[in-house]
Amino acid sequence: MAEQNTGARVPTVIADELHIVYRVSGAKTGRGSATAALSRILKRGEERGVRKVHAVKGVSFVAYRGEAIGLIGSNGSGKSTLLRAIAGLLPAERGRVYTDGQPSLLGVNAALMNDLTGERNVILGGLAMGMTREEIKSRYQEIVDFSGINEKGDFITLPMRTYSSGMAARLRFAIAAAKDHDVLMIDEALATGDRKFQMRSEERIRELRKEAGTVFLVSHNNKSIRDTCDRVLWLERGELRLDGPTEDVLKEYEKFTGK
């Protein structure tokens, strides 16, 4: 468990009254030329079909080194949006996010190159995370073994497009987990694969925490949250409903969901 003495803890992420707003263009279609449509838009100023979605509403918290923090909540509650904001991929409408070190976001949809082999993707993924070629070479076999994608054949030499979604997600996690991170954010990656892979992933998260990193985990699997995290943030409709020890927050969340 992470050290709870505030005097000894070092902040890695601070969210200060953070608001994130998406602007979604209306999907209206109509007759007439594109030139005429553009003219109408310019005359009106801002297109009336643009809809604002207030995805994160005034969220504040402080994360510390050595913590593994679960993010829970209903679909559309703002969990993934919050991670993207911490990673610097979404601008704040109001409020601020401060990070110490480089945050890394790992999602099940993280882009790898489908036409390249798994082997090439390991190299490119490592380089993208700032690893040297020597570091990648020294950890290459460990990454392949961790992913488990070669257990039923030599899949690492095949193009990524031949992989199942689960195999691709496991390889993404294995690449990301090969590096020590200041702040690692994982969006549903542990939901893929069998229990054996989930156990390896959970153990690696515990190792990352010991190496002074901070881990955020978005998951709908409460068991993974319990096994991995010592603290939970519960988001609902974009608002931070509860922040506290894992078991305390999950008990309230399970009452709310009836599960």
Side-chain angles (χ1 to χ4, degrees), residues 49-102:
V50 173
R51 183 167 58 97
K52 292 183 178 180
V53 179
H54 203 157
V56 172
K57 305 173 183 176
V59 169
S60 296
F61 66 87
V62 180
Y64 298 91
R65 284 185 186 170
E67 283 191 315
I69 301 173
L71 268 68
I72 61 173
S74 307
N75 288 334
S77 61
K79 304 181 298 295
S80 296
T81 298
L82 179 59
L83 291 192
R84 288 173 61 81
I86 294 170
L89 300 176
L90 289 174
E93 183 80 4
R94 298 198 307 275
R96 294 285 185 89
V97 175
Y98 305 91
T99 60
D100 179 28
Q102 178 60 48

Side-chain angles (χ1 to χ4, degrees), residues 3-110:
E3 175 58 49
Q4 297 299 308
N5 179 0
T6 56
R9 296 190 295 174
V10 177
T12 54
V13 177
I14 300 172
D16 181 18
E17 284 294 316
L18 180 64
H19 293 260
I20 303 293
V21 176
Y22 289 107
R23 286 168 175 79
V24 183
S25 297
K28 294 181 181 178
T29 60
R31 297 183 182 278
S33 71
T35 302
L38 178 59
S39 177
R40 289 196 300 271
I41 291 171
L42 292 175
K43 287 177 183 177
R44 284 200 301 264
E46 186 176 348
E47 166 62 15
R48 285 178 294 184
V50 173
R51 183 167 58 97
K52 292 183 178 180
V53 179
H54 203 157
V56 172
K57 305 173 183 176
V59 169
S60 296
F61 66 87
V62 180
Y64 298 91
R65 284 185 186 170
E67 283 191 315
I69 301 173
L71 268 68
I72 61 173
S74 307
N75 288 334
S77 61
K79 304 181 298 295
S80 296
T81 298
L82 179 59
L83 291 192
R84 288 173 61 81
I86 294 170
L89 300 176
L90 289 174
E93 183 80 4
R94 298 198 307 275
R96 294 285 185 89
V97 175
Y98 305 91
T99 60
D100 179 28
Q102 178 60 48
S104 302
L105 174 60
L106 169 67
V108 292
N109 295 320

Side-chain angles (χ1 to χ4, degrees), residues 40-226:
R40 289 196 300 271
I41 291 171
L42 292 175
K43 287 177 183 177
R44 284 200 301 264
E46 186 176 348
E47 166 62 15
R48 285 178 294 184
V50 173
R51 183 167 58 97
K52 292 183 178 180
V53 179
H54 203 157
V56 172
K57 305 173 183 176
V59 169
S60 296
F61 66 87
V62 180
Y64 298 91
R65 284 185 186 170
E67 283 191 315
I69 301 173
L71 268 68
I72 61 173
S74 307
N75 288 334
S77 61
K79 304 181 298 295
S80 296
T81 298
L82 179 59
L83 291 192
R84 288 173 61 81
I86 294 170
L89 300 176
L90 289 174
E93 183 80 4
R94 298 198 307 275
R96 294 285 185 89
V97 175
Y98 305 91
T99 60
D100 179 28
Q102 178 60 48
S104 302
L105 174 60
L106 169 67
V108 292
N109 295 320
L112 292 180
M113 305 294 287
N114 278 334
D115 288 334
L116 298 183
T117 65
E119 181 178 16
R120 291 295 299 165
N121 273 295
V122 169
I123 296 168
L124 292 176
L127 290 172
M129 289 193 303
M131 297 170 67
T132 66
R133 288 186 178 274
E134 290 72 22
E135 288 174 325
I136 297 167
K137 184 177 180 180
S138 68
R139 301 182 189 185
Y140 173 80
Q141 194 59 48
E142 177 186 336
I143 292 170
V144 175
D145 293 344
F146 188 100
S147 72
I149 65 171
N150 265 9
E151 290 176 356
K152 296 183 179 179
D154 192 20
F155 281 96
I156 197 67
T157 63
L158 297 178
M160 284 278 293
R161 65 173 180 272
T162 65
Y163 293 10
S164 68
S165 58
M167 290 168 63
R170 294 200 305 273
L171 184 59
R172 290 185 187 98
F173 183 89
I175 294 169
K179 182 178 184 291
D180 296 338
H181 298 269
D182 300 312
V183 178
L184 176 62
M185 295 169 288
I186 305 166
D187 195 346
E188 295 289 5
L190 299 190
T192 64
D194 55 18
R195 183 58 190 158
K196 181 176 165 184
F197 176 76
Q198 290 176 21
M199 289 176 67
R200 286 202 300 269
S201 302
E202 290 163 4
E203 178 58 32
R204 178 56 183 147
I205 288 175
R206 285 189 282 271
E207 290 173 1
L208 287 167
R209 290 172 56 192
K210 290 177 185 175
E211 291 155 5
T214 303
V215 178
F216 289 87
L217 171 64
V218 170
S219 179
H220 291 286
N221 185 334
N222 288 357
K223 187 176 189 310
S224 287
I225 295 287
R226 281 189 166 95

